[in-house]
Amino acid sequence: MIADLQQFFGVNIEDVWRGLVSPAHVLDLIQGLYAVPQSRWRAAVLTDEPPARPQPGTPPSWLGWTPEVARLTAIADLITAALAGKKAKPLPTPLDRSPVVTTSSIREFTQMFQLLR
C-alpha cells in the first residue's frame, strides 16, 4: 500500500507523521486505490495472489484487470459462443478466483488492514 500511495498519488506516508498530509486524506487515497487496476493494494484486498507463472485455463489476476480487459473478455466469450454454440466455455475471469472484499466502516477497514499486514 505504501508503494502504491507513492507510485499512483505521489504521497510519502512519512508525510503523515511530519504533518504535511492528513490521515483522513491518506484514507481517501487508499480507498481510491480500488479504482487503480495496477494497484498491489487492490489485488491484496481482493484476496488475490498472482502466480509467478499463470497456467492456461486458470483465472487471471485482479492485478491489471481493467474495464477494457473485462469488455474484451466478454466480447471474446460472445464470439466464441456464436461460433461454438452451447459447447463454448467462457474465458476465466478474476471473479472465478476470489470474492471481492468490501468494508462498510472505517473500523472494518482498519481491521482488514491489520489482517493484511
Side-chain angles (χ1 to χ4, degrees):
M1 177 182 63
I2 293 171
D4 282 351
L5 287 172
Q6 180 70 45
Q7 179 180 352
F8 299 113
F9 302 119
V11 172
N12 184 337
I13 196 70
E14 292 178 7
D15 287 346
V16 173
W17 290 274
R18 294 181 188 127
L20 301 173
V21 177
S22 74
H25 181 63
V26 171
L27 285 174
D28 287 341
L29 293 177
I30 290 169
Q31 286 291 93
L33 287 173
Y34 287 120
V36 180
Q38 293 79 18
S39 167
R40 293 168 291 277
W41 168 252
R42 178 178 184 255
V45 168
L46 295 172
T47 62
D48 185 15
E49 294 185 24
R53 295 180 189 207
Q55 299 299 317
T58 60
S61 169
W62 281 104
L63 196 60
W65 187 260
T66 64
E68 293 80 15
V69 172
R71 286 186 200 108
L72 288 171
T73 302
I75 291 168
D77 287 343
L78 290 171
I79 292 170
T80 304
L83 296 175
K86 292 183 179 182
K87 295 181 181 181
K89 187 175 179 183
L91 294 171
T93 70
L95 291 172
D96 300 330
R97 179 184 293 277
S98 60
V100 174
V101 177
T102 60
T103 60
S104 60
S105 68
I106 294 293
R107 184 178 188 182
E108 284 183 32
F109 179 80
T110 305
Q111 290 171 345
M112 180 181 64
F113 175 70
Q114 293 300 325
L115 292 173
L116 292 174
R117 283 184 148 185

